[in-house]
Amino acid sequence: SGSMSGRNYELATLAGEDFTRAREGDAFGLTLFGVQQIRWMPLTKDLNAIRNALPFANPEQQPSHMGGTMIGAALEFCRENMIAEAAQGDRLIILVSDGMSADLDGDASERIGGALKDDGITVFHIHIDESDVPAEVADLVEVTGGQAFAATDTNALRAVFDHIDKMKPAQIEQVGT
């Protein structure tokens, strides 16, 4: 979303670069979202490709329909892609966001979190903002067995790495070029 511009985008980019360097050998994909979603990078073990894609993901260069924040729709979009690309193995989504999401009102957090959990997907949320993690997002990730934390919490980041280290590797199926 537009609120991820400037310093928030810089912090998210640095975190993404550091994270992918620390996880060489693992497979990741990259999805951008606002009101709509863009599957920016399919599941790949070429983490240099993800690092090289980050400069082009700048919110200031995205179309206007990427403004806003629809976390629920983005997670459902990622769930569908993960099911198509990795038939076996454990699945993890690392959600990087700085705000609340109107599409998580009511029972949406529990419903979406339950669907992710049913498909074996754990969600961790890295909150890029000085405010508290929105309750709706914290509730959703808790349903999946994940955690929500501030980007500055290095102990929580270690918890994400520990979780990844215990995961069964996915069997990647190429679904396109």
Side-chain angles (χ1 to χ4, degrees):
S1 66
S3 62
M4 283 294 288
S5 297
R7 184 72 178 141
N8 283 351
Y9 173 69
E10 291 172 17
L11 292 172
T13 299
L14 289 173
E17 290 171 355
D18 290 346
F19 188 87
T20 56
R21 282 190 180 88
R23 300 308 308 184
E24 287 292 344
D26 292 341
F28 291 96
L30 178 62
T31 298
L32 304 182
F33 70 96
V35 175
Q36 300 293 319
Q37 310 85 35
I38 299 173
R39 186 170 166 240
W40 202 252
M41 181 69 58
L43 191 61
T44 182
K45 287 187 173 187
D46 181 3
L47 302 187
N48 195 44
I50 291 177
R51 288 187 292 273
N52 288 335
L54 291 173
F56 301 99
N58 189 332
E60 294 173 6
Q61 299 172 358
Q62 299 301 317
S64 61
H65 67 271
M66 291 300 288
T69 305
M70 300 290 278
I71 291 172
L75 291 173
E76 289 176 324
F77 180 81
C78 290
R79 181 179 69 76
E80 292 169 7
N81 284 316
M82 292 176 86
I83 291 168
E85 292 177 345
Q88 298 175 349
D90 295 327
R91 301 178 178 121
L92 173 71
I93 293 174
I94 300 172
L95 169 67
V96 179
S97 177
D98 68 346
M100 295 191 302
S101 180
D103 69 341
L104 293 179
D105 290 345
D107 70 343
S109 290
E110 190 170 316
R111 180 182 47 78
I112 294 168
L116 289 160
K117 181 180 178 180
D118 290 347
D119 288 323
I121 301 170
T122 304
V123 180
F124 282 87
H125 171 58
I126 300 173
H127 188 63
I128 308 282
D129 194 59
E130 293 179 8
S131 65
D132 292 335
V133 174
E136 301 85 7
V137 179
D139 292 346
L140 186 150
V141 300
E142 186 177 312
V143 169
T144 72
Q147 293 177 279
F149 54 91
T152 56
D153 185 345
T154 56
N155 290 327
L157 192 55
R158 275 189 233 128
V160 175
F161 285 165
D162 289 345
H163 181 87
I164 292 171
D165 290 340
K166 295 174 186 170
M167 292 175 67
K168 177 183 171 191
Q171 301 299 315
I172 301 172
E173 296 179 17
Q174 184 172 341
V175 294
T177 57

